[in-house]
Amino acid sequence: MYALRISPGISVELASCAVQFRIMETVWKLVVLLCYCFSINFNIPVAAQSESQTASDSYDYTHQWYAKLFLDLYYNTDFNKAVPPLQNGPVNVQLGFSLKDIYFFDERNKIATIYGWFEQHWTDIRIHWDPAAYNGTDRITIDSDKVWLPDIVLMDSGTVTENVDADVLVSSTGRMSRYFFLKITTVCNMDFKFFPYDKQVCSLKFSSWHHNGFVINPTQSVSTVDLSSFYPSTDFKLVQAIATRHVLKYECCPEPFIDITYRLHLERVSSAYSVKLVLPAALTGFLILATFLLPPASYEKITLCGFIFIALLLQLIYLHDIVPASGDTILGDYFAFALFVDFFATISAVVSYHMHARSASTKKSSNVMEIDDGDLKPELEHNRKRKFLQYVDFICFAVFGIVFVVGLAIILGRRG
C-alpha cells in the first residue's frame, strides 16, 4: 500500500485553519444563544400585553353599568314609590291577559279555578336616562318592591294568588312592563237551566282598588284574551273570550271608576252526560207512556210503575249530586213531573185492580145463588168506573206524551 506524506509546513497550516474554524463555530453558537435570549426577553412581555389587551377589549362590563345606572336612578333622583307618577293626567295602565287553563269547576259551589299570565304596562316619568351615558344600556330589570306599582286587583268575589316577586322591566324612556302568573279562584254566576247542555259565562273584573279614573286609567291591549297557550278543559269548551272596558259614574261622586272585564264564554262537554242522564230519562219516559197502554186492572201495570218510580228516584238523586240545590234545571223538573205521573198511574192501577177483584168475587157469588135485576147494579157501577179509569189513562198518556216530546225537543234543541 501507499502512504500519503505531507510536509511539515502544510501540516502547520492545516492545524491553524482547524483552530480558526473552531473559534468561529464557538462565536456563532454564542451569537445564536444571545439572539435566542434576547428574543425571549422582548417577545414575552409583548405577547402578554397583547393577550391582556385582547381580554380587555372582549370583557363585558354590563353589570358595572347596571350598578351605576341603578345607583343614579335611586340616589340622584327624587323618587317615591308610594306616589303615582302623575303628569298632566292619570297614569295609563295597559292590561293584558293570557289564559292558560281552566283547572277546576266546583259546580255545587259555583267556583272556578283559572290559571293565566297577566301583564301590565305603564310609564313612570320619574325614571329615565340617556343610554349613551351608560354604554348603550337602554333597559334594566328592577325588583317590584322598589318601584311604584298600579294597584289593579280582581274586584269579583274570589281569591287571587300571584307571583308577587315578579320583576319590572324598565326602559330608558320610563316605560314599565310587568309580567306575572295568576291563579284565580272566583265565583261564577252559573245557570243550570239547560243542564247538561248549558252555556256559562264567567267574568273577571279588574280595577284599581284605591284610585279612581283621575289617577289610574286602565286600558286593554286587545279586545280579546290571548289563547295562544290555552290548554282545553275536559269539562268545558271555551267558545269565546273577550275583554271589555267599562267607565262607571255615580251620582255621589264626579270621578269615573274604570274596570277591565274579561268574559269567558264556556260550553259544557255533554257527551258523557248524554249517556248518563239524557238517554235514561228518554227511555224512562217511553216506559211511562207504555204503562198507560196496559189494562187498568192488570197486575203487571203495578209492577212496572213501581220499577219506573225507583229508576226515576235514582236518576233524580244522581242529578242532585251534580247540580247544586239552587240550580233549577229542565231535566230536574222533568224528573219531578215524571215521578208525579208515575205515582198517579200506580194509584190508578191499584184502585182498578181492587175494583176488578171485588167484581170478580161478586160475579162468583152470583153464579151460586139466584140474583134479581138489582144485583146487576154493582157490576154496572164497576164497568162505569173501569171506563172512567181508562179515560184517565188516556188523558194521562196524552198529557205526559206532550210534555215528554216538548221537553225532549227543548233539551236536544239546546244541544244543537
Side-chain angles (χ1 to χ4, degrees):
M1 295 182 64
Y2 298 94
L4 182 62
R5 293 182 180 180
I6 300 176
S7 62
I10 296 176
S11 62
V12 172
E13 290 179 1
L14 291 175
S16 176
C17 290
V19 171
Q20 292 177 3
F21 179 77
R22 290 179 180 177
I23 292 174
M24 292 178 63
E25 184 181 4
T26 304
V27 172
W28 175 252
K29 290 182 178 179
L30 289 175
V31 172
V32 172
L33 181 61
L34 290 175
C35 291
Y36 180 74
C37 293
F38 276 108
S39 65
I40 294 177
N41 292 332
F42 285 105
N43 289 337
I44 289 180
V46 172
Q49 182 179 1
S50 178
E51 292 178 1
S52 176
Q53 184 178 0
T54 304
S56 176
D57 293 340
S58 63
Y59 194 80
D60 188 6
Y61 287 98
T62 305
H63 68 283
Q64 297 183 6
W65 295 108
Y66 265 51
K68 185 178 184 302
L69 177 58
F70 185 83
L71 293 176
D72 291 344
L73 287 176
Y74 289 97
Y75 290 98
N76 298 331
T77 58
D78 185 14
F79 178 78
N80 187 351
K81 68 176 184 179
V83 179
L86 300 175
Q87 184 184 20
N88 300 327
V91 182
N92 295 319
V93 181
Q94 192 178 41
L95 305 180
F97 183 60
S98 177
L99 185 62
K100 180 66 177 177
D101 184 20
I102 302 176
Y103 179 71
F104 177 70
F105 251 106
D106 185 0
E107 295 170 330
R108 294 191 60 82
N109 299 315
K110 299 182 179 181
I111 295 177
T113 302
I114 301 171
Y115 290 97
W117 288 96
F118 199 69
E119 59 181 272
Q120 299 174 344
H121 306 277
W122 71 97
T123 300
D124 196 328
I125 59 177
R126 301 165 298 182
I127 301 179
H128 58 85
W129 68 89
D130 183 10
Y134 298 93
N135 196 27
T137 305
D138 61 347
R139 63 186 61 189
I140 188 174
T141 302
I142 302 176
D143 292 339
S144 59
D145 59 348
K146 298 184 183 300
V147 296
W148 177 85
L149 299 177
D151 58 338
I152 304 295
V153 297
L154 179 67
M155 303 300 292
D156 298 327
S157 56
T159 59
V160 177
T161 303
E162 66 177 76
N163 185 7
V164 295
D165 297 329
D167 295 335
V168 179
L169 181 63
V170 185
S171 66
S172 58
T173 60
R175 182 68 172 176
M176 320 285 283
S177 300
R178 184 168 180 251
Y179 305 87
F180 50 93
F181 192 75
L182 286 181
K183 176 185 176 183
I184 303 172
T185 303
T186 183
V187 176
C188 295
N189 295 324
M190 305 182 70
D191 184 12
F192 297 95
K193 182 177 181 180
F194 296 98
F195 179 87
Y197 305 112
D198 51 328
K199 299 178 181 179
Q200 308 296 341
V201 178
C202 194
S203 300
L204 304 176
K205 179 180 177 181
F206 290 91
S207 179
S208 175
W209 182 255
H210 295 98
H211 303 291
N212 54 49
F214 290 156
V215 180
I216 294 181
N217 178 31
T219 60
Q220 71 265 25
S221 56
V222 292
S223 60
T224 58
V225 179
D226 184 12
L227 303 176
S228 58
S229 60
F230 176 69
Y231 183 78
S233 173
T234 57
D235 297 328
F236 284 89
K237 179 177 66 175
L238 183 63
V239 179
Q240 188 181 21
I242 58 177
T244 308
R245 182 175 181 267
H246 300 102
V247 180
L248 303 178
K249 291 185 178 181
Y250 302 95
E251 297 180 356
C252 65
C253 312
E255 301 88 358
F257 295 89
I258 306 173
D259 67 82
I260 303 296
T261 302
Y262 299 97
R263 297 173 64 86
L264 308 179
H265 295 259
L266 307 172
E267 183 178 353
R268 187 185 300 275
V269 180
S270 57
S271 56
Y273 295 102
S274 298
V275 178
K276 296 178 182 178
L277 276 175
V278 179
L279 182 60
L283 296 178
T284 307
F286 283 115
L287 290 179
I288 293 176
L289 291 175
T291 59
F292 296 112
L293 299 178
L294 294 174
S298 62
Y299 177 78
E300 292 79 5
K301 183 177 182 179
I302 301 175
T303 305
L304 181 59
C305 289
F307 281 116
I308 293 175
F309 192 84
I310 296 174
L312 289 172
L313 279 179
L314 293 177
Q315 295 177 25
L316 190 60
I317 292 174
Y318 177 68
L319 180 65
H320 177 73
D321 291 337
I322 301 175
V323 181
S326 58
D328 184 17
T329 63
I330 294 180
L331 196 59
D333 296 339
Y334 163 77
F335 282 138
F337 180 74
L339 278 172
F340 172 77
V341 172
D342 185 74
F343 174 78
F344 179 80
T346 305
I347 297 300
S348 174
V350 170
V351 172
S352 179
Y353 185 79
H354 177 71
M355 294 173 56
H356 178 74
R358 290 188 58 185
S359 175
S361 61
T362 303
K363 184 181 294 186
K364 184 178 180 179
S365 61
S366 64
N367 293 331
V368 178
M369 62 186 68
E370 294 183 357
I371 56 173
D372 54 7
D373 295 340
D375 295 331
L376 297 176
K377 293 182 178 180
E379 186 174 356
L380 295 175
E381 184 70 18
H382 168 71
N383 291 333
R384 285 195 296 268
K385 290 182 179 180
R386 187 174 181 180
K387 289 184 177 296
F388 173 75
L389 292 176
Q390 290 178 348
Y391 290 142
V392 170
D393 283 349
F394 177 76
I395 294 174
C396 290
F397 176 85
V399 172
F400 184 78
I402 295 173
V403 172
F404 173 72
V405 172
V406 171
L408 193 62
I410 292 175
I411 294 178
L412 295 180
R414 180 70 176 184
R415 181 184 181 182

